Amino acid sequence: MTDVHIGDAVRRVEDQRFLTGQGNYIDDINMAGQARAAVLRSPHGHARINGIDTSRAEALDGVLLVITGRQWLAFGMGTLPTKTGVRKGRNDTDINEPPRHCMAIDTARYLGEPVAFVVAETQVIANNALELIDVDFEPLEAVSDAVKALAPGAPRLWDDIPNNLCIDFELGDLEGTEKAFAEADHVITLDLENNRVTAVPIETRGCVGSYDAATETYTLYNATQNVHANRDMFAENVLGIDKQKLHHVAPDVGGGFGAKNSAYPEPPMVLYAAKKLGRPVKWINTRSDSFLGDTHGRGQTSRVQIAINNDGTFLALRTETVGGIGAYCWTIGPFTPTGGSARTQGGPYTFPAMYYRGRAVFTNTAPMDPYRGAGRPEATFQTERIIEYACRKLGLDPVETRRKNLMPPEALPYMSPMGMDIDCGDFPLLFERTLEMAAPDTFAARADRATKAGRLFGFAIAPYLECTGGAPKEYAGVQFKEDGAVTLAVGSHSTGMGHETVLPQLLAARLGIDFDRIQFTQADTDATPIGGGHGGSRGMEVGGNAVAQAADEIIVKATPLAAHLLQSDAAKVTFADGSFSDATSGASVSMTEVIEASMDQEPGFLDTGATFERGVISIPNGCHAATVEVDPDTGAIQITGYWVMDDFGTVINPLLADGQVMGGIVQGIGQALTENIIYDDSGQLITGSLMDYGLPRADVVPNMVIDYYEGAPTKKNPLGVKGAGEAGCVGALPAVVNAVLDALKGHGVVHMDMPLTPEKVWRAIRDKGAHDPEALMRDAC
């Protein structure tokens, strides 16, 4: 009989390994005879490469191989394509997709773009060789600001792409929105910046590749979130080989947050070098190079407009966004500022009409790709900021105005103007519960105490609505061993979320077997035929349902054998709570006993592989609230309280769900208060190290009160789960920013762009909020 159930707060079994230094991360993997690799990166944001002299590097003792972009092209290596789900723009125009080689060929288009690749006997020799490569760079005019990149006469990254425009996308009802704007009592406009950030996982990227000449196969160990999809791109698109010739494995991965989801150029170069040299090759990225070459996220400049009546009724929402996606489309980069940010516009409110326009723009900056939330935090921030701003402008109560416009549960199911199938939920209930947890009846006393201490008190509440994503199919394979072990192999992937605990928990609970007997495998292309990896809060929605489906198929297979053991007819046998029972005789036999009996049958009698395919994506939702205190003399912000109610449908393991919510909130706090990727006009990165880039520290993270509403499990998947991984990021940005602006309202500050650093807050107080809230998008519009 199992000792775990769905809904139990089972502690993570993998933590014993991680916390005692027994994890097996990419830099722990070493192969006999391996060489070490290093990458020479462009020191310019935009420069023509007139020539590369590698002779001194090649002559250095211990250097085994030096490759330049031109040589890479001569080898016949292919390009890395974008897999964006948005390929058509307004007026049925096609996406502009320039070729993305693994190295710059004749022009470097962002600081940190690979220019040459060196392999040597040791890392020190490889690094020294980089210093000996002489590149004749001819600096070109660069453009790092996406709005400026659209302007007439701006430097052009690609000769055949006018105005640096990748795609001009729209979604929604333009005519209906314009009509509502014409009829509304008020149209409120706000320009805002969603600052560019980067993931900074504790483990940098890296890989180890080898080649077996006898079988003509490659093996790649890679710190990635998505082994199957990236394997296919590396093999078929770049190396030009059958994907089955590449065994792709991710060991323990120390965080990803989207930045390790993409197909990067270094792994194919490592694989080529391993074959060329006939020995394994290892490459580990430095933290400095991670800032230059890892994908970034967010980075949108937006104009948001709301049509609202005098009584606070929302009539329409219109958003125009410009997102700089870097020099290339990257893996799915154009999707985030277009379809990714369009889908959840309007949040859980009843907007009769909405319209969204998003332009993805090429800039001389590092690549942009999904970062935790990938559009949903941007959409929620846009929605919640314009609501808060409109309430301040019109003298409306922000809490009452939100309450008035939330979708009532009786309106569900509802197809939003953005095409979101919102099937279930109770948005007013979550709103009221969050407000109750925050205890607004104590605010006056808390504000009074803050005032006496020389600080300003602020509060904000921020409902959110998001959606899941990622690959729609997932596989789970279960095998039973004679020694009693059960192996579970999945195509989904954890980079720290706890899948090694929760998926075996789900299988054990479903079958009624011992949790400790289950051996877990993930992120291995040889272990599962398909796999969607990690991204889009899909772990439980797709991976969990694949495990549940496999368990159900095992029960079906086991029922005739159970009937035989019970000397009954299979039609009379039912399964519940880990046992098969005959209703007529009352006799029962456990699943464990049936598994043991199956070993006398044909080999693998109960072994099962199941592929689950998601139909319609689910809609996680919830509400965040925060209180802050601001020191007007220094601009310092302290978050004094944080409350969250989340609707994730069925919660398999609330302890792990708490961890996901907390982690997302902390990343949201980081973006709201301290994190910022800044380029100068030449494309040089100003915030290129942890000395300059402000990650959130423990002392800025408040205690959090987290609760769940499970009264509306979705019927879109058998488990009724809605996804939890990105929700914390989605609600945190507006909750924190609006709370700070609430604290500053007495000083005339109605808007500030993230990050709300102490200096920025201090200056806003001294300026009494004097700035133009409609300035950012003027040129683009």
Side-chain angles (χ1 to χ4, degrees):
M1 184 64 66
T2 186
D3 53 350
V4 298
H5 305 87
I6 290 177
D8 287 352
V10 178
R11 297 183 68 176
R12 292 173 23 141
V13 298
E14 54 265 61
D15 284 350
Q16 177 68 25
R17 185 171 81 253
F18 295 154
L19 296 175
T20 57
Q22 302 303 306
N24 187 36
Y25 295 93
I26 192 63
D27 206 16
D28 296 316
I29 294 176
N30 294 289
M31 296 183 179
Q34 72 184 12
R36 297 300 297 258
V39 178
L40 181 66
R41 300 181 183 276
S42 170
H44 301 281
H46 198 192
R48 185 174 292 110
I49 301 172
N50 292 323
I52 304 178
D53 183 355
T54 61
S55 58
R56 288 197 301 152
E58 291 170 322
L60 183 64
D61 188 31
V63 170
L64 304 171
L65 181 67
V66 180
I67 307 173
T68 66
R70 268 287 156 197
Q71 290 172 322
W72 187 254
L73 193 63
F75 297 155
M77 296 297 161
T79 58
L80 290 163
T82 183
K83 299 294 185 180
T84 181
V86 174
R87 306 201 71 89
K88 285 288 186 180
R90 296 198 308 158
N91 303 316
D92 202 38
T93 53
D94 292 322
I95 187 173
N96 289 314
E97 181 184 358
R100 177 162 72 101
H101 294 279
C102 290
M103 282 183 277
I105 306 302
D106 294 314
T107 302
R109 291 180 172 85
Y110 67 92
L111 181 76
E113 183 170 10
V115 172
F117 185 73
V118 172
V119 184
E121 293 287 356
T122 69
Q123 192 66 61
V124 171
I125 296 173
N127 293 344
N128 289 339
L130 297 184
E131 302 292 331
L132 300 177
I133 299 175
D134 183 19
V135 184
D136 180 6
F137 285 111
E138 179 186 341
L140 302 172
E141 192 176 0
V143 60
S144 58
D145 181 279
V147 173
K148 293 179 180 178
L150 284 172
R156 187 180 289 193
L157 273 73
W158 301 94
D159 292 340
D160 57 345
I161 300 179
N163 303 113
N164 298 307
L165 182 64
C166 174
I167 190 169
D168 187 349
F169 170 89
E170 67 179 349
L171 185 68
D173 180 5
L174 177 58
E175 183 178 347
T177 300
E178 290 179 339
K179 182 175 185 295
F181 273 53
E183 297 173 352
D185 292 333
H186 304 279
V187 173
I188 305 298
T189 300
L190 176 65
D191 285 2
L192 55 86
E193 188 80 27
N194 203 307
N195 46 319
R196 178 184 276 240
V197 294
T198 189
V200 200
I202 194 168
E203 177 200 36
T204 62
R205 292 186 298 112
C207 60
V208 184
S210 65
Y211 179 73
D212 185 336
T215 60
E216 298 182 331
T217 58
Y218 298 82
T219 298
L220 176 67
Y221 293 93
N222 190 12
T224 180
Q225 298 174 218
N226 200 338
V227 295
H228 285 81
N230 287 340
R231 183 243 352 229
D232 296 355
M233 291 178 71
F234 297 153
E236 298 177 342
N237 295 102
V238 180
L239 300 176
I241 62 172
D242 188 294
K243 64 184 180 182
Q244 302 303 328
K245 292 286 188 179
L246 173 55
H247 179 201
H248 195 191
V249 184
D252 292 327
V253 177
F257 315 114
K260 291 180 181 172
N261 216 331
S262 304
Y264 285 94
E266 295 90 356
M269 294 192 290
V270 163
L271 291 172
Y272 173 84
K275 179 180 179 181
K276 176 76 173 177
L277 298 173
R279 57 191 290 190
V281 176
K282 181 175 184 175
W283 168 80
I284 301 295
N285 209 20
T286 66
R287 181 64 66 189
S288 295
D289 280 1
S290 294
F291 273 99
L292 299 179
D294 283 7
T295 58
H296 297 167
R298 311 287 188 252
Q300 293 186 27
T301 303
S302 307
R303 169 161 291 177
V304 192
Q305 296 177 294
I306 190 171
I308 184 171
N309 277 345
N310 289 325
D311 65 355
T313 300
F314 300 162
L315 301 180
L317 180 72
R318 178 164 58 199
T319 303
E320 292 187 68
T321 282
V322 174
I325 62 170
Y328 301 90
C329 289
W330 220 251
T331 304
I332 58 172
F335 178 74
T336 299
T338 55
S341 297
R343 297 177 296 176
T344 52
Q345 289 288 320
Y349 302 104
T350 303
F351 277 98
M354 285 191 284
Y355 175 76
Y356 179 91
R357 181 187 180 192
R359 282 171 283 180
V361 182
F362 295 114
T363 53
N364 294 113
T365 59
M368 293 285 274
D369 237 10
Y371 170 68
R372 199 170 192 170
R376 286 91 90 198
E378 292 89 327
T380 300
F381 188 72
Q382 290 156 351
T383 301
E384 289 299 317
R385 277 299 297 126
I386 191 61
I387 290 172
E388 191 82 6
Y389 181 73
C391 288
R392 299 299 179 200
K393 292 277 286 186
L394 301 177
L396 299 170
D397 185 312
V399 172
E400 290 300 325
T401 302
R402 287 180 169 88
R403 177 182 282 134
K404 177 186 181 71
N405 288 280
L406 287 169
M407 290 181 210
E410 57 269 21
L412 305 180
Y414 174 73
M415 184 65 70
S416 83
M418 293 287 102
M420 293 304 301
D421 178 8
I422 306 170
D423 61 326
C424 60
D426 194 331
F427 310 130
L429 175 64
L430 269 64
F431 184 85
E432 299 302 338
R433 285 192 181 178
T434 307
L435 196 61
E436 182 182 346
M437 289 193 296
D441 57 326
T442 67
F443 287 176
R446 292 162 72 178
D448 184 59
R449 287 196 299 269
T451 300
K452 290 178 179 177
R455 295 189 293 270
L456 309 171
F457 175 84
F459 167 77
I461 190 166
Y464 76 87
L465 179 143
E466 62 149 336
C467 62
T468 55
K473 288 184 179 182
E474 199 50 271
Y475 177 89
V478 182
Q479 292 183 322
F480 300 92
K481 306 298 183 182
E482 290 188 6
D483 63 1
V486 181
T487 64
L488 171 62
V490 298
S492 59
H493 186 190
S494 169
T495 59
M497 296 85 72
H499 289 188
E500 191 171 335
T501 297
V502 70
L503 292 177
Q505 175 185 351
L506 177 57
L507 182 65
R510 202 80 165 191
L511 294 181
I513 61 176
D514 188 352
F515 173 75
D516 293 332
R517 293 172 56 186
I518 301 173
Q519 300 172 352
F520 182 74
T521 299
Q522 64 171 2
D524 186 331
T525 55
D526 281 3
T528 61
I530 63 169
H534 156 47
S537 303
R538 67 184 298 278
M540 281 300 101
E541 182 191 53
V542 190
N545 274 289
V547 172
Q549 183 173 312
D552 291 346
E553 292 180 13
I554 291 167
I555 292 168
V556 171
K557 287 182 179 181
T559 299
L561 180 54
H564 173 73
L565 296 175
L566 293 170
Q567 298 182 357
S568 177
D569 188 286
K572 297 179 180 180
V573 173
T574 58
F575 180 80
D577 299 325
S579 294
F580 294 90
S581 302
D582 184 336
T584 303
S585 67
S588 65
V589 61
S590 70
M591 173 62 84
T592 299
E593 292 172 305
V594 175
I595 293 170
E596 291 172 352
S598 75
M599 296 302 159
D600 296 329
Q601 306 294 313
E602 61 184 273
F605 178 72
L606 291 181
D607 293 355
T608 298
T611 299
F612 174 81
E613 183 169 6
R614 175 183 62 205
V616 182
I617 57 177
S618 63
I619 310 296
N621 62 89
C623 190
H624 290 220
T627 55
V628 302
E629 292 184 8
V630 179
D631 185 339
D633 293 328
T634 65
I637 297 166
Q638 180 183 3
I639 304 173
T640 56
Y642 207 100
W643 304 269
V644 188
M645 276 293 301
D646 285 311
D647 176 1
F648 297 150
T650 303
V651 177
I652 308 298
N653 185 323
L655 186 63
L656 299 186
D658 284 355
Q660 287 300 288
V661 174
M662 290 178 184
I665 289 170
V666 172
Q667 286 185 286
I669 289 171
Q671 181 181 357
L673 300 185
T674 57
E675 295 187 47
N676 203 15
I677 286 288
I678 302 173
Y679 285 91
D680 69 12
D681 290 341
S682 70
Q684 286 294 318
L685 181 61
I686 305 301
T687 51
S689 76
L690 291 174
M691 294 291 290
D692 314 299
Y693 186 84
L695 288 180
R697 306 302 199 266
D699 61 354
V700 307
V701 179
N703 290 326
M704 303 174 194
V705 180
I706 301 170
D707 201 0
Y708 302 103
Y709 172 65
E710 295 187 69
T714 183
K715 292 182 172 58
K716 293 178 178 178
N717 62 75
L719 286 176
V721 297
K722 298 181 180 178
E726 294 159 297
C729 261
V730 176
L733 298 181
V736 172
V737 171
N738 284 340
V740 173
L741 289 169
D742 182 54
L744 300 180
K745 61 182 181 293
H747 289 269
V749 181
V750 294
H751 178 65
M752 292 175 62
D753 281 315
M754 300 182 291
L756 307 186
T757 60
E759 180 189 6
K760 189 182 291 186
V761 172
W762 181 85
R763 291 188 182 279
I765 292 171
R766 295 303 177 276
D767 295 342
K768 298 189 181 299
H771 87 295
D772 182 353
E774 299 181 24
L776 293 171
M777 286 285 285
R778 184 169 294 134
D779 291 340
C781 293

